[in-house]
């Protein structure tokens, strides 16, 4: 049996405090999370034909019910895991990008703000999950909710791409890339007009 190549950096502890850029795609790059549409003014009829790209226009991502589930699950990661902070993200028609930070000091701050001794003790005992476990939780819970919306064939690609953000320049470039993703959709390698 062919052995799969790991996408993670060998020997790196993906549960340690750091900023990570993550990209994950829908299986077969199926565009099912919404669509990129031009922002129109007045009675601009091109808005009714989003498949026609107009380079002079501004574009935004319009999430459908499945894309909204993915977006909600991204926010859920921060509420579920007190040490997770999402700095920036975008849900696109067939993929998402996230800048996710694992920061154990966030958990300590939440514990000190918490009045409940029992909850504070539970939080202090909470194990920091790895990036793979966190993205796995996002993928599993979003898939389950999308299946409940009668899209039973929905699936994510088996793995995801990550990049460890090591400096401010890299952070700025990646954050700008996320912000401009709808603008560049029609030239994106994930673009699929099916």
């Amino acid at each position: 049996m062919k052995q799969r190549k790991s996408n993670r950096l060998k020997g790196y502890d993906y549960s340690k405090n750091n900023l990570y850029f993550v990209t994950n795609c829908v299986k077969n790059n199926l565009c099912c999370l919404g669509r990129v549409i031009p922002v129109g003014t007045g009675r601009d009829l091109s808005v009714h034909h989003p498949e026609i790209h107009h380079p002079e226009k501004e574009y935004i991502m319009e999430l459908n019910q499945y894309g909204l589930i993915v977006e909600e699950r991204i926010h859920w990661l921060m509420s579920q895991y007190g040490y997770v902070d999402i700095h920036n993200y975008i849900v696109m028609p067939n993929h998402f990008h996230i800048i996710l930070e694992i920061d154990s000091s966030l958990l300590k701050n939440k514990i000190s703000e918490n009045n409940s001794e029992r909850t504070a003790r539970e939080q202090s005992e909470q194990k920091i999950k790895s990036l793979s476990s966190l993205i796995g939780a996002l993928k599993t819970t979003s898939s389950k909710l999308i299946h409940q919306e009668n899209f039973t064939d929905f699936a994510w690609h088996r793995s995801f791409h990550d990049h460890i953000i090591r400096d401010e320049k890299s952070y700025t470039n990646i954050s700008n890339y996320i912000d401009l993703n709808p603008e560049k959709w029609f030239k994106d390698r994930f673009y699929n007009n099916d």
Side-chain angles (χ1 to χ4, degrees), residues 9 43 46 50 52 58 77 82 94 110 123 136 139 142 150 159 166 173 182:
L9 183 62
R43 294 185 39 81
S46 65
I52 301 171
E58 182 181 329
L77 276 177
N94 60 8
K110 287 181 182 178
Q123 285 182 332
K139 290 166 61 172
S142 61
N150 295 321
S159 191
R166 299 185 189 273
N173 289 340

Side-chain angles (χ1 to χ4, degrees), residues 34-38 50 59-62 92-93 181-183 185-186:
R35 62 190 185 145
V36 174
I37 59 170
Y59 286 81
I60 60 169
M61 183 60 201
E62 180 182 69
M92 294 297 289
N181 225 242
E183 297 286 330
W185 170 241
F186 298 95

Side-chain angles (χ1 to χ4, degrees), residues 27 34 40 43 47 85 114 145 150-151 157 190:
K27 189 172 183 181
R43 294 185 39 81
V47 171
D85 190 17
N114 198 325
L145 292 170
N150 295 321
F151 187 178
H157 272 273
F190 299 120

Side-chain angles (χ1 to χ4, degrees), residues 169-187:
K169 182 181 179 192
S170 179
Y171 177 88
T172 301
N173 289 340
I174 291 168
S175 193
N176 289 337
Y177 173 79
I178 289 172
D179 292 340
L180 295 173
N181 225 242
E183 297 286 330
K184 301 186 182 293
W185 170 241
F186 298 95
K187 295 178 182 174

Side-chain angles (χ1 to χ4, degrees), residues 68-129:
L68 290 170
I69 288 170
V70 175
E71 182 176 60
E72 184 275 328
R73 292 286 92 184
I74 290 170
H75 291 280
W76 168 84
L77 276 177
M78 287 191 296
S79 62
Q80 182 70 16
Y81 304 103
Y83 50 85
V84 170
D85 190 17
I86 304 296
H87 286 243
N88 199 356
Y89 73 90
I90 184 89
V91 177
M92 294 297 289
N94 60 8
H95 66 282
F96 65 78
H97 298 295
I98 301 175
I99 296 177
L100 181 148
E101 181 177 17
I102 296 176
D103 182 355
S104 59
S105 71
L106 293 174
L107 194 57
K108 292 172 189 154
N109 292 342
K110 287 181 182 178
I111 290 169
S112 64
E113 292 170 4
N114 198 325
N115 294 334
S116 165
E117 265 186 53
R118 186 177 140 260
T119 305
R121 188 175 58 250
E122 288 170 0
Q123 285 182 332
S124 68
E125 294 168 359
Q126 187 177 18
K127 183 179 182 286
I128 306 288
K129 291 188 179 289

